[in-house]
Amino acid sequence: MSSTEAQYLLARYAFETLGYRRYEWKCDALNAASRRAALRYGFVYEGTFRQHMIAKGRNRDDAWFSILDSEWPAHKAAFERWLAPENFDAEGRQKMSLSALSSLPAC
């Protein structure tokens, strides 16, 4: 299972089974890879929680991201287009990125 598929399954469970109104992603504000991943998965940057904690002897700021229940249908459509077998070649490489599919209108 890919991390993209895991995020899809978690979001689907949060919104469709548990009825949550928001799905959050929080990370160290200095973790550029995690911030990029949040944006790639469709999370919206909400802000920085400054001096959230002391970690490894330094103040740590946390970056907060979310997907709202009203945004979920469009994100779900993009995830499902990305996960579709037609989006992968014979070697298992994606043909279109999730970011590219997110910019397309929902089917």
Side-chain angles (χ1 to χ4, degrees):
M1 175 184 302
S2 71
S3 60
T4 304
E5 184 177 6
Q7 286 301 318
Y8 164 73
L9 292 171
L10 285 167
R12 190 177 75 183
Y13 182 71
F15 290 119
E16 297 177 14
T17 302
L18 299 176
Y20 285 4
R21 299 178 61 224
R22 57 186 286 119
Y23 180 48
E24 297 176 349
W25 179 289
K26 301 170 193 167
C27 63
D28 187 325
L30 298 177
N31 187 337
S34 186
R35 293 173 66 110
R36 280 191 308 273
L39 294 172
R40 182 170 46 87
Y41 295 139
F43 287 83
V44 174
Y45 175 70
E46 292 187 323
T48 301
F49 197 47
R50 301 180 305 148
Q51 292 188 8
H52 177 234
M53 67 177 77
I54 296 175
K56 297 182 181 178
R58 69 164 181 84
N59 281 313
R60 173 182 153 159
D61 297 342
D62 276 1
W64 287 45
F65 300 81
S66 71
I67 296 174
L68 302 179
D69 58 349
S70 60
E71 301 163 340
W72 173 238
H75 290 299
K76 179 181 180 180
F79 273 112
E80 289 176 352
R81 286 190 298 243
W82 187 84
L83 289 165
E86 310 81 65
N87 189 43
F88 295 90
D89 65 18
E91 286 77 41
R93 293 182 298 246
Q94 70 180 5
K95 295 178 182 176
M96 290 191 72
S97 69
L98 180 59
S99 298
L101 292 166
S102 295
S103 65
L104 297 175
C107 300

